[in-house]
Each structure stands twice: as C-alpha cells, then as structure tokens.
Amino acid sequence: MQSHGGSGSQARSVIEGSDADVVTLALAHDITLIEDEGLIEEGWIDEFDSNSSPYTSTITFLVRAGNEKNIQDWDDLIREGVDVITPDPKSSGGACWNFLAAWYYADLTYNGDETQMKEFVSALYDNVLVMDSGARGATTTFVENGQGDVLIAWENEALLALEEYPGEYEMITPSISIKAEPSVAIVDENVDSNGTREVAEAYLSYLYTDEAQQIIGENYYRPINEEILNTFSDTFDLSVELCTIDDFGGWDQAYEDFFQDGAIFDEIYNAE
C-alpha cells in the first residue's frame, strides 16, 4: 500500500494510525513530528547518509510556452497582473521550501531588512490565485486546469510537466533557490509490529546504490552521488546559487520562525 499527498498531511496520517513501514517526506520536520509521537526512534536522521536524504531537488518556475509575462526571477512574481500558483505551507512540505526560497531571495535583495522582506513575500502571496494542499495538486491546478501564469514548483515536477506536455511549458530557474532535501525514515513502531524491518531497511538502503541513484536522476530528482549527478548536467542547472535549510538554523528553527501558528507565514498571509 502506498499513500501520496502533502508532506504535512502524510505525517498526520501516520500519527493518526496509517500503517506505513517507511515515510519519504518533503521535510525533516514532518518526520520529527512522527518521532515526537513515539513512532520513530530518535536519531533517525543519522540512520542513512546525507541526513537521510537520498536525493535532493530545488525550486523553479513553470510557465506556459512563450512566457508571455516574461517571468525570470522572484521579483517578477510580485508584479501586478501575475497570477501565481503555489501550495499551502500549512499542509505542504514543498510549499515550505517555496516560501523559504522566496524569503532568502528577499533577504539578499533587501540586505536583511525584515520589514521589506515581509512586504516582498506578502506581495507575492497577494498574487497567489490558488493555494492547494500539496505540490502535486498545485501542478494539476496549473497544468491540467490551466490556472495561473506561473507555478512555483519542485524542479522534478516542472521537468515532468515538460516531458508530459512537450512544447506547452517552459521551466525558468531563478537566480537564487534552495536545496530541497526530502527525508526518508523507517516507522519503527509499525515495522516492529508488522515484522517488516528487514525489508524496510533494505528498501531505504537501496535508494543510495548506484542503480537507484541513476533511476532517481532519470525521474528528475537530483542524485546525492555527485558523480552520477554530474551525468545529468544537461537536465539540471547545477550552477544555480542554492541556500540550504542550515541558513535558517535547521528545520526545527525554520518551522518555529515561519510556519507554526502565528509565525511569519501567518503574519503576512492573515494580514492580506
């Protein structure tokens, strides 16, 4: 059995009783929430290499062919008349990465002036036409339902849309983005109950093998194996400047600062 959806909603599903043996979620913080409920053992992030992230992605823009609104960078998303599609950071891990990438751009643009940074991100969300619960739903809204001028998207989602709808879309890589690190973990309580620990460990270990890393690249995620990643240099823009979650003090700190109830996202969104 598999279940797909926004990272936050999937974490809540496991907490509420979904019998998952493994989780692959957009945010380490969402796995920490499952850990806090006693379902995942402490130290899960060190159980596998690279903070238990066997692949990465980044945040890009997907626009319609011709790029009528001439969208090239984050500052274009706050222009009047630009309709933006991005999911809700309250339910979507991808949306949290989107928000942080925009915030980092504003930080550099306004030299750390938090008032101006909040105004920038607030203006961006003023332009959000639809805010779905997850990244895949946002892609559906933009690609299949034809809404919006630009989708703030995981790079892999944007590249998949280019493959599935040749000639209909363009991917724009902004000047600055973020290294998105989806995390994997074994749900210890469930595997011990189900007797599936051995196969669960084998599956997650397999994701780090050369064979799996090649498959990962072919499916538009960035392999963590640098040698294999470099073979996909025609697919990925490996020169884009990427901040990391460490620039925000790690996920627990970032979540507290930006996405908890009453934090910066609520402040700028509820003020609209």
Side-chain angles (χ1 to χ4, degrees):
M1 183 189 73
Q2 297 183 22
S3 176
H4 303 276
S7 183
S9 61
Q10 291 295 292
R12 287 192 296 273
S13 177
V14 173
I15 290 168
E16 291 166 4
S18 175
D19 195 28
D21 293 312
V22 300
V23 288
T24 60
L25 300 180
L27 305 184
H29 177 78
D30 287 332
I31 298 181
T32 299
L33 294 178
I34 303 173
E35 176 194 337
D36 290 343
E37 296 296 321
L39 301 174
I40 293 177
E41 294 175 1
E42 185 179 356
W44 65 267
I45 200 165
D46 298 317
E47 189 168 351
F48 298 94
D49 290 344
S50 300
N51 294 323
S52 288
S53 295
Y55 46 84
T56 69
S57 190
T58 188
I59 303 305
T60 62
F61 306 149
L62 189 68
V63 300
R64 305 188 194 284
N67 193 9
E68 181 181 347
K69 298 292 178 73
N70 191 29
I71 293 164
Q72 301 296 333
D73 213 339
W74 291 100
D75 56 348
D76 295 315
L77 304 191
I78 69 171
R79 285 194 278 111
E80 185 176 354
V82 173
D83 289 331
V84 177
I85 305 296
T86 185
D88 185 351
K90 291 295 194 176
S91 57
S92 166
C96 294
W97 290 114
N98 294 356
F99 183 98
L100 293 179
W103 183 267
Y104 190 76
Y105 175 87
D107 190 0
L108 296 184
T109 300
Y110 300 110
N111 297 312
D113 185 319
E114 189 164 297
T115 298
Q116 290 183 293
M117 292 158 64
K118 288 179 179 178
E119 289 174 353
F120 177 88
V121 178
S122 179
L124 191 160
Y125 279 87
D126 278 341
N127 280 353
V128 172
L129 184 65
V130 177
M131 195 153 57
D132 290 282
S133 62
R136 178 50 60 92
T139 301
T140 298
T141 294
F142 183 77
V143 172
E144 296 183 16
N145 299 341
Q147 298 190 59
D149 299 307
V150 56
L151 170 70
I152 308 177
W154 288 82
E155 180 182 54
N156 59 289
E157 289 277 354
L159 288 168
L160 186 61
L162 297 184
E163 178 187 286
E164 293 182 344
Y165 302 90
E168 296 186 33
Y169 299 96
E170 300 174 22
M171 186 178 76
I172 307 297
T173 301
S175 62
I176 293 166
S177 194
I178 192 166
K179 181 181 180 181
E181 297 176 288
S183 299
V184 301
I186 291 169
V187 185
D188 295 287
E189 181 166 299
N190 290 349
V191 297
D192 288 342
S193 175
N194 297 333
T196 52
R197 177 174 292 277
E198 184 176 350
V199 68
E201 290 178 348
Y203 166 62
L204 294 188
S205 295
Y206 171 75
L207 297 178
Y208 290 86
T209 66
D210 287 354
E211 180 181 41
Q213 291 284 296
Q214 181 70 28
I215 294 170
I216 284 165
E218 291 169 358
N219 286 276
Y220 302 131
Y221 285 98
R222 296 185 176 209
I224 58 162
N225 182 311
E226 289 288 334
E227 185 176 341
I228 295 175
L229 173 63
N230 288 332
T231 68
F232 290 94
S233 59
D234 290 341
T235 301
F236 306 119
D237 182 351
L238 301 180
S239 66
V240 63
E241 179 182 347
L242 300 178
C243 65
T244 74
I245 195 61
D246 291 339
D247 291 304
F248 299 89
W251 258 118
D252 289 344
Q253 187 64 53
Y255 203 88
E256 179 180 340
D257 291 343
F258 294 98
F259 306 119
Q260 281 188 343
D261 291 346
I264 288 174
F265 175 75
D266 281 353
E267 180 184 339
I268 68 103
Y269 191 68
N270 293 333
E272 295 174 8

